[in-house]
Every structure is written in structure tokens, then in C-alpha cells.
Amino acid sequence: MMRADLLTGELPGLDEALAAVDAFDQVLAGGLLRPQPAQAAGLTALANAVAGSPIAALVAEAAEKAAAGVAGEEHLLALAAGRTALFGAVHDAVVARVDEATGRPREATPPFEPGAPLPANLLASARAWLCDVARAGWRGLDHELAAGAAQVVSALLPAPELRRLAVLLDGFAAELAASCPGRTLGRIPLRRWADLWARGMLLTQPGAVTGAGAGAETAALTGRLLPLGVDLHEHATAVHAQVHAVFEPADGGPARLVRASVSAPKPDTVVGAGVWQLLRPHLSLLAAAGEGHAMELTGMPVTDEGDLLWSEERTRVDESADVFTTARVALPTVRAGATAPLDRHPARIAEPVLVEGYTVDRSGDEVAFVVGGERLAVDTGRLPAASPLTAQAVAGSRACIGLLRWDAGRFLLQPLAVQSAAKSRTAVVQAGAWAGGTADKSGAKAEKAATDTVTVLRERAGRLLRS
Amino acid sequence: MPMWEESSLVRVVPTARPRKLAKVPFVELAAGRLQGVVSSGSDVSRVYVSSVASGDFAFACRTNNNRPCGGARGGFCNHIGAMVGEAVLQYGGARVARYLQTDTADGDAAPTAQQLAAAMSAARPQQAADAQAVTGQVFARFLRHLAYLELPATTAPLPEMHWFPTAGAVA
């Protein structure tokens, strides 16, 4: 049983770390072209916060140069690294609290192994754009600067090993473009944009990610895969689904938490239920999860983080498996995966948990579960638009499988599946129920619309790209 | 809104709304313009590249071979009208009005496509001085957009996507 009381307690040192982050994030609002005294203070705050770390000297020098308005790319990179290190510490504190609450053992973090070098010219052009952005600042954004990412992204996207950076920059640049001109911005997503900027900067470092764009394969799994639910991510031109599951080895060894991912670039007009058809052909697990089936794996490669490197020929659909049975029987004894060094950021935390025995509190403007007197906010905003799992279904539930997340200083529960509280029904509703296809009228209509969209665009592409 | 500023995961751009693409295969708010591609009613291999600039509503409409549209001499042609209509479907009237800085942006209700087009026409907009160059840029953007269809899906983990949670029900 999850100890929800631990999730509301204070995390030691958190406020100090976030204060330094916030101070630095304000610096990026004004940009580093002509830094003002307040920005110099923000830079110093960042440098002071990492003063005890191995990169202390680098960040201190970078802060000094930036405050004087003479920061080069290497200095901006050091600032991004300093900010990332602070969030690494926050991540570790949050994960320690999660593990305490779930009582789950976790694999140790593997040492950082630099990946194979990636095309240096492409990384350099991405870094140059990010540095221009940092100099202009969010208030200095203009259309020309935002549009400058298009060429960089187009060059990055076709290379599989650069996909992570490409997709990040694409989504980031779209937000900047929609927010131009920066001088008229009413409010600024300070932490978010600084996150995306800093992450982009680190990903432009040769060796930051391995050739496959993911963690290295460390084992091959043979046994049974029991899905828990599907987590969907998307921006205008990319969609990504991640299936969380429990893996039970055939040799009777300890069960572990694993994930399988699939992503696809997309035109911005393919939305809602239409995104599933882009992903479905590449990950049979989506359909299995949606339809409530387990899968047999034979020699499936996996990373230390628990990411399966999916290969269809190593799978077979198994008998049906109810997600709540999996959550009640298999989930309590699993080991959790490690976090890759570069992925130590609280936004990446997504820990599968089962929550039950709660009352639903709808008094505020959000849904919350009250467990043992403690309030756990439910992130109903993360429910897919095209899903039978609605905020109403969540509010009328008595048991919930969800991902424990942490954002803006607090824990949130992202529902993956709920069991209805109505006595007459024990219906289970899953967020990813339509991943494998749906007979639901509105879902089917949205799928058809997406098919039509792709058909029209292909037809246009056929005529125009030929001429 | 301190919560908003201190969140890693706020949605900055709302998800586009689905629409039928047959008449207007491409529309976007970019580079300070509402711009798009409109299929020709008579010739299947021809498209019109239309745009309206934010602020002064300077407009352009030319074919993909960069010949001027006969209807867009003194004011907005039907292609521009169709593009405004589809932009309202895709982004909602309020977002289009805000981006183009039309007077209708101040009202309470989201303006309709007709209201938007009327408000812009009332300002007696001019042909864009750089219409030819803009046409080339917009058409290139369209081709770039089409290229997304050709990029393969992958099952490699993409941790960066955790910063882009699905936007849920469209507001």
C-alpha cells in the first residue's frame, strides 16, 4: 500500500535549490545580450548553488562572463549544466521519497557512458540557435529567431540518433513561434522554457546520447509482460506513447518495472484519436494493453532504465490479463528501474502506483484523492482527448492505477486506469483503451478523419513534390 | 500565476482542432503571418499560396508557380477567405484574431471567420510588397510539413517527450 502521507511532507533542501533555479530562469527572460544587475544576481545565485559540485568552477566562470555580457557558447553550456545539476539533485530527492512511499527497491544508477560521436555540424547548428535564443531572452523573441529553428530541425529529424534533440527543438520552437513577439508576452512559462533550453543545450554535446538515441542494451528478457497502462505525449509535430508494464521473468527471478515506447513525427492536423494509427503498426503492445492482454517476450533487449528496445519478432500475444489484477498481485513486488544520468529531472518521474481506499475531493478546481487524510491531486489534464477515461470517470472511481509525477513543487497522480465506484458495475476504464482501435463512435470518427488527413496530404505531396 | 511560471509541464500551445483538408491542405500561424495553401477548384495539380500579415494585413495570393491570383488585386480573394475559414476551424477564432492583431481580438466571444475577414478588409489592406518572396517561403513551409509524413516511426525511447504531455480535451 502506498504511503500517501510521505508525499505531502517537505523535501529537505528543495526550497533553496528551486530558489536558485528560479533566479536563473528570470535571467533567461531578459536574455544575456545586455545583462542587467538583477540578472547578474540570478547568475550568481546559480553559481553559488552548485558551489559544492564538481562543476563549481566552470559555472562560476560562466556566470561571471554572462553577467559581463561576453558569454561564449561554452559558458552558456556551463550554465545549462549548472541548472541541470540542480534539477538532478531535486530529482534524486523526489525519487527517494517516491521509493519510500511505494516501498519499492530501485536499481542503482549506472555510471555515465558517453555515446558514439554524432554529426558535429548538426549539433553545432542546434547549439548556435539555442545560444541565440539565450542571448535574446524570452522577452527578446521575434519571428525571425523562432523560425531559425526550422532549418536545424529539418536537418536533424531524418537521423534516428538525433531524433531526441530534433523532437525537443521542434516542440520548443513551436512554442516560441506562437509566443512572438516576446516583448508583448503577458506571462512566461519560465521554468518550462528554461528546462527545454537547458536540455537542448546538453543534448547538443557530443556523446550526450548513445547512437541509438537511448540507453545501452544491458540484458535480454524472456518471460511475461503484464501491461499497466499507456501514457501519451504529443506536440504539434510528434506523438509518443509509452506502455508501463510489469515484467515477470520465466526463470522465476524478481519482477521488474519496464516500459515500451513508440513515437512518430506527424503533421499538426493529425490529432486526438487519429494519433494511435501512426503508432499502432510499430508496437503490438499498444493493442495488447488496450485490449487487456499479456505478452510473451523471448530475448527482448532492455536497458538499465527498464526501457524495452522493442522488436516485434521477439513477442507473442498471451492470455488476457486484467490491469487491476496486475496492479494488486504483481506490482507490490517489483523492482523499479534506474534513471539514466542525463534524465535526472523531476519532469521525467512517472512511477506506476495503485491507489485505492480513497475518497474523491472535488471541492477545488481540480480532482483530488484523499488517502488516509492526505490529499493527492489528480492530473486529469493529462487524460488523452480521445479516451473513454474522463475526469468524470476518475471522480467516480474507487481504485486507480496511475503514474506518480512531480511538477511545480508537488506530487500529482496521472490516471492510467480506474475501477468504477458504482456498486452495480466493476467496470475498468483505461486511458489507453483506444490505442489498439475502437468501436466507439466518436473515436472511430476521429480515426477516419486522421486517415483522410494523411490521404489528402500524401496526394498533395505526390503531385507537388513531383512537379 | 506563480504555479504556471514554476511548472515544467504547462501547455503553452493548444492542440490544433481536426478539420477536413481537401480544400485547404495547409494553414499555419507563423513568421508573423496567417499563411496557407489552398487547392485550386479547377486544376488538381495547382495550388494557391495565400498569406495575410499580422498587424497591417498585407496580403498575397499566388500559384505554386508564383503567378499572381487574378482575384487578389484590390483585396482579399476567395482563396484568402477559405484560408481564414480553415484557420478558425484549426486554431479557434480567438487565437487567429490575437495573432493577426485584428480589432475583433478585444471582444468577449471568439470572432467568426466572416467577422475576421470583414475586420481586416475594413482596414483596406494592401498587397504585400514582398508577395513573391513570401509565396516561396510559405510553399517551402508546406513542403517541409509534408515531409513529416515520410519520417519513420521509432520504438527507441524518447524521454524528451515527457515535457509534452497530451493536451487532453481541447478547450
Side-chain angles (χ1 to χ4, degrees), chain B residues 96-132:
Chain B
V96 177
R98 220 169 27 245
Y99 196 87
L100 288 175
Q101 299 165 33
T102 65
D103 288 340
T104 54
D106 303 327
D108 289 333
T112 63
Q114 289 75 17
Q115 287 168 332
L116 274 172
M120 292 191 284
S121 290
R124 307 188 71 81
Q126 302 293 305
Q127 280 263 9
D130 53 352
Q132 250 177 305

Coordinates of all heavy atoms in Angstrom, one line a residue, chain B residues 96-132:
Chain B
V96 N -6.6 33.1 -33.7 CA -6.3 33.8 -35.0 C -6.3 35.3 -34.9 O -5.4 36.0 -35.4 CB -7.2 33.3 -36.1 CG1 -7.0 34.0 -37.4 CG2 -7.1 31.7 -36.3
A97 N -7.4 35.8 -34.2 CA -7.5 37.2 -34.0 C -6.4 37.8 -33.3 O -5.8 38.9 -33.6 CB -8.8 37.5 -33.3
R98 N -6.0 37.1 -32.2 CA -4.8 37.6 -31.4 C -3.6 37.6 -32.2 O -2.8 38.6 -32.2 CB -4.7 36.6 -30.2 CG -4.4 37.3 -28.9 CD -4.4 36.4 -27.7 NE -4.2 35.0 -27.9 CZ -5.1 34.1 -27.7 NH1 -6.3 34.4 -27.4 NH2 -4.8 32.8 -27.9
Y99 N -3.3 36.6 -33.0 CA -2.1 36.5 -33.8 C -2.1 37.6 -34.9 O -1.0 38.3 -35.1 CB -1.9 35.2 -34.4 CG -0.5 34.9 -34.9 CD1 0.4 34.3 -34.1 CD2 -0.2 35.1 -36.2 CE1 1.7 34.1 -34.5 CE2 1.1 34.9 -36.7 CZ 2.1 34.4 -35.8 OH 3.3 34.1 -36.2
L100 N -3.2 37.8 -35.5 CA -3.3 38.8 -36.6 C -3.4 40.3 -36.1 O -3.3 41.2 -36.8 CB -4.4 38.5 -37.5 CG -4.2 37.3 -38.4 CD1 -5.4 36.9 -39.2 CD2 -3.0 37.5 -39.3
Q101 N -3.7 40.4 -34.8 CA -4.0 41.7 -34.1 C -5.1 42.4 -34.8 O -5.0 43.6 -35.1 CB -2.7 42.5 -34.2 CG -1.5 41.9 -33.4 CD -0.2 42.6 -33.7 OE1 -0.2 43.8 -33.9 NE2 0.9 41.8 -33.7
T102 N -6.2 41.7 -35.0 CA -7.4 42.4 -35.5 C -8.2 43.0 -34.4 O -8.0 42.7 -33.2 CB -8.4 41.4 -36.2 OG1 -8.9 40.5 -35.2 CG2 -7.7 40.6 -37.3
D103 N -9.1 44.0 -34.7 CA -9.9 44.7 -33.7 C -10.8 43.7 -33.0 O -11.2 43.9 -31.8 CB -10.7 45.8 -34.3 CG -9.8 47.0 -34.7 OD1 -8.7 47.0 -34.2 OD2 -10.3 47.7 -35.6
T104 N -11.1 42.6 -33.7 CA -12.1 41.7 -33.1 C -11.5 40.9 -31.9 O -12.2 40.3 -31.2 CB -12.5 40.6 -34.1 OG1 -11.3 40.0 -34.7 CG2 -13.3 41.2 -35.2
A105 N -10.1 41.1 -31.7 CA -9.5 40.3 -30.7 C -9.9 40.8 -29.3 O -9.7 40.1 -28.3 CB -8.0 40.5 -30.8
D106 N -10.5 42.0 -29.2 CA -10.8 42.5 -27.8 C -12.2 42.0 -27.3 O -12.5 42.1 -26.1 CB -10.8 44.0 -27.9 CG -9.4 44.5 -28.3 OD1 -8.4 43.9 -28.0 OD2 -9.4 45.6 -29.0
G107 N -13.0 41.5 -28.2 CA -14.4 41.1 -27.8 C -14.4 40.0 -26.9 O -13.3 39.3 -26.7
D108 N -15.5 39.6 -26.3 CA -15.6 38.5 -25.4 C -15.7 37.2 -26.2 O -15.0 36.2 -25.9 CB -16.9 38.7 -24.5 CG -16.7 39.8 -23.5 OD1 -15.5 40.1 -23.2 OD2 -17.7 40.4 -23.1
A109 N -16.6 37.2 -27.2 CA -16.8 35.9 -27.9 C -15.7 35.8 -29.0 O -15.2 36.8 -29.5 CB -18.1 35.9 -28.6
A110 N -15.3 34.6 -29.3 CA -14.3 34.3 -30.4 C -14.9 34.8 -31.7 O -16.1 34.4 -32.0 CB -13.9 32.9 -30.4
P111 N -14.2 35.6 -32.5 CA -14.8 36.0 -33.7 C -15.0 34.9 -34.7 O -14.2 33.9 -34.7 CB -13.8 37.1 -34.2 CG -12.5 36.7 -33.5 CD -12.9 36.1 -32.2
T112 N -15.9 35.0 -35.6 CA -16.1 34.0 -36.7 C -15.1 34.4 -37.8 O -14.6 35.5 -37.8 CB -17.5 34.1 -37.2 OG1 -17.8 35.4 -37.8 CG2 -18.5 33.8 -36.1
A113 N -15.0 33.5 -38.8 CA -14.2 33.8 -39.9 C -14.7 35.0 -40.7 O -13.9 35.8 -41.2 CB -14.1 32.5 -40.8
Q114 N -16.0 35.1 -40.8 CA -16.6 36.2 -41.5 C -16.2 37.5 -40.8 O -15.9 38.5 -41.5 CB -18.1 36.1 -41.6 CG -18.6 35.0 -42.5 CD -18.4 33.6 -42.0 OE1 -18.2 33.4 -40.7 NE2 -18.5 32.6 -42.8
Q115 N -16.3 37.6 -39.5 CA -16.0 38.8 -38.7 C -14.6 39.1 -38.9 O -14.2 40.3 -39.0 CB -16.4 38.6 -37.3 CG -17.9 38.6 -37.0 CD -18.2 38.1 -35.6 OE1 -17.5 37.3 -35.0 NE2 -19.3 38.5 -35.1
L116 N -13.7 38.1 -38.9 CA -12.3 38.4 -39.0 C -12.0 39.0 -40.4 O -11.3 40.0 -40.5 CB -11.5 37.1 -38.9 CG -11.1 36.6 -37.5 CD1 -10.6 35.2 -37.5 CD2 -10.1 37.6 -36.9
A117 N -12.5 38.3 -41.4 CA -12.2 38.8 -42.8 C -12.8 40.2 -43.0 O -12.1 41.1 -43.6 CB -12.9 37.8 -43.8
A118 N -14.0 40.5 -42.4 CA -14.6 41.8 -42.6 C -13.8 42.8 -41.9 O -13.5 43.9 -42.4 CB -16.0 41.7 -42.0
A119 N -13.3 42.5 -40.7 CA -12.5 43.5 -39.9 C -11.2 43.8 -40.6 O -10.8 45.0 -40.6 CB -12.2 42.9 -38.5
M120 N -10.6 42.8 -41.2 CA -9.3 43.0 -41.9 C -9.6 43.8 -43.2 O -8.8 44.7 -43.5 CB -8.6 41.7 -42.2 CG -8.1 41.0 -40.9 SD -7.0 39.7 -41.2 CE -8.1 38.4 -41.7
S121 N -10.6 43.5 -43.9 CA -10.9 44.2 -45.2 C -11.2 45.6 -44.9 O -10.9 46.5 -45.7 CB -12.1 43.5 -45.9 OG -11.7 42.2 -46.4
A122 N -11.9 45.9 -43.8 CA -12.3 47.3 -43.4 C -11.0 48.2 -43.3 O -11.1 49.4 -43.4 CB -13.1 47.3 -42.2
A123 N -9.9 47.5 -43.0 CA -8.7 48.3 -42.8 C -8.0 48.6 -44.2 O -6.9 49.2 -44.2 CB -7.7 47.6 -41.9
R124 N -8.7 48.2 -45.3 CA -8.2 48.4 -46.6 C -6.7 47.9 -46.8 O -5.8 48.7 -47.1 CB -8.3 49.8 -47.1 CG -9.8 50.4 -46.8 CD -10.0 51.7 -47.4 NE -10.0 51.7 -48.9 CZ -11.1 51.4 -49.6 NH1 -12.2 51.1 -49.0 NH2 -11.0 51.4 -50.9
P125 N -6.5 46.7 -46.6 CA -5.1 46.2 -46.7 C -4.6 46.2 -48.1 O -5.3 46.2 -49.1 CB -5.2 44.7 -46.2 CG -6.6 44.3 -46.4 CD -7.4 45.6 -46.3
Q126 N -3.2 46.3 -48.2 CA -2.5 46.3 -49.5 C -1.9 45.0 -49.8 O -1.7 44.2 -48.9 CB -1.4 47.4 -49.4 CG -1.8 48.8 -49.0 CD -2.7 49.4 -50.1 OE1 -2.2 49.5 -51.2 NE2 -3.9 49.8 -49.7
Q127 N -1.6 44.8 -51.1 CA -0.8 43.6 -51.5 C 0.5 43.7 -50.8 O 1.1 44.8 -50.7 CB -0.5 43.7 -53.0 CG -1.6 43.3 -53.9 CD -1.4 41.8 -54.4 OE1 -0.5 41.1 -53.9 NE2 -2.2 41.4 -55.3
A128 N 1.0 42.6 -50.3 CA 2.3 42.6 -49.7 C 3.4 43.0 -50.7 O 3.4 42.5 -51.8 CB 2.6 41.2 -49.1
A129 N 4.3 43.9 -50.3 CA 5.3 44.3 -51.2 C 6.2 43.2 -51.6 O 6.8 43.1 -52.7 CB 6.1 45.5 -50.6
D130 N 6.4 42.2 -50.7 CA 7.3 41.1 -50.9 C 6.5 39.8 -51.3 O 7.0 38.7 -50.9 CB 8.2 40.9 -49.7 CG 7.5 40.8 -48.4 OD1 6.2 41.0 -48.5 OD2 8.1 40.4 -47.4
A131 N 5.4 40.0 -52.0 CA 4.5 38.9 -52.2 C 5.2 37.7 -52.8 O 5.0 36.5 -52.4 CB 3.3 39.3 -53.0
Q132 N 6.1 37.9 -53.8 CA 6.7 36.8 -54.4 C 7.6 36.0 -53.5 O 7.6 34.8 -53.5 CB 7.6 37.4 -55.6 CG 7.0 37.0 -56.9 CD 7.7 37.6 -58.1 OE1 7.9 38.8 -58.2 NE2 8.1 36.7 -59.0

